[in-house]
């Protein structure tokens, strides 16, 4: 068993590097948006994609956005607990490439959004996907994208695991 721990250490650095890249990309894009857009600004890029500036005080799909402020610290705490749990999982399962990649993306996204909550009290969202003027998906960011891709990879990993078993 000690062999798995020692061989997992170099892999842990690899997984943390992926998470760090997500955090850096997320924070860099948010700095660009905060410097170039006022709250509510929107610039079309394509017929279905706009760059916007939106502040989300809630979670996914603005869940608890109007809760009165306590949700900021709740989501920071939840992010801290999730970070600890993901780090523990990466140390134990860093040899499982797809699983660890998924966790790294989720970790980077979660930390990116926690940084926003600590710095601003809200998460900066700026990607807006829409169809004509009839349907708009809630604005999101690089961190949200990494979390979503990570979640999809977790599902794929589990489906592969079930298929092998």
């Amino acid at each position: 068993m000690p062999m798995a721990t020692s061989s997992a250490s170099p892999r842990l650095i690899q997984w943390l590097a992926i998470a760090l890249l997500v955090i850096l990309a997320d924070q860099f894009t948010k700095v660009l948006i905060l410097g170039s857009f006022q709250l509510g600004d929107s610039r079309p890029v394509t017929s279905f994609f706009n760059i916007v500036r939106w502040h989300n005080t809630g979670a996914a799909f603005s869940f608890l956005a109007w809760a009165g402020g306590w949700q900021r610290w709740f989501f920071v705490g939840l992010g801290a607990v999730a970070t600890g749990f993901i780090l523990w999982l990466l140390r134990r399962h860093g040899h499982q490439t797809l699983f660890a990649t998924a966790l790294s993306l989720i970790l980077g996204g979660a930390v990116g959004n926690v940084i926003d909550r600590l710095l601003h009290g809200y998460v900066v969202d700026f990607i807006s996907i829409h169809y004509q003027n009839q349907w708009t998906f809630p604005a999101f960011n690089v961190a949200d994208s990494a979390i979503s891709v990570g979640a999809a990879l977790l599902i794929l990993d589990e489906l592969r695991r079930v298929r092998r078993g």
Side-chain angles (χ1 to χ4, degrees), residues 75 80 118 127:
F75 290 127
L118 290 171
I127 301 168

Side-chain angles (χ1 to χ4, degrees), residues 1 4-9 11-13 15-16 84-95 99-100 103:
M1 196 71 162
T5 304
S6 62
S7 66
S9 294
R11 296 297 303 257
L12 180 61
I13 292 168
W15 305 129
L16 294 178
F85 183 61
I86 290 170
L87 290 172
W88 178 78
L89 286 171
L90 285 171
R91 288 178 57 89
R92 289 185 51 106
H93 302 285
H95 60 283
F99 183 68
L103 291 176

Side-chain angles (χ1 to χ4, degrees), residues 156-165:
L156 177 62
D157 181 62
E158 187 59 26
L159 291 173
R160 289 175 63 196
R161 190 179 341 275
V162 167
R163 181 184 243 178
R164 282 190 307 255

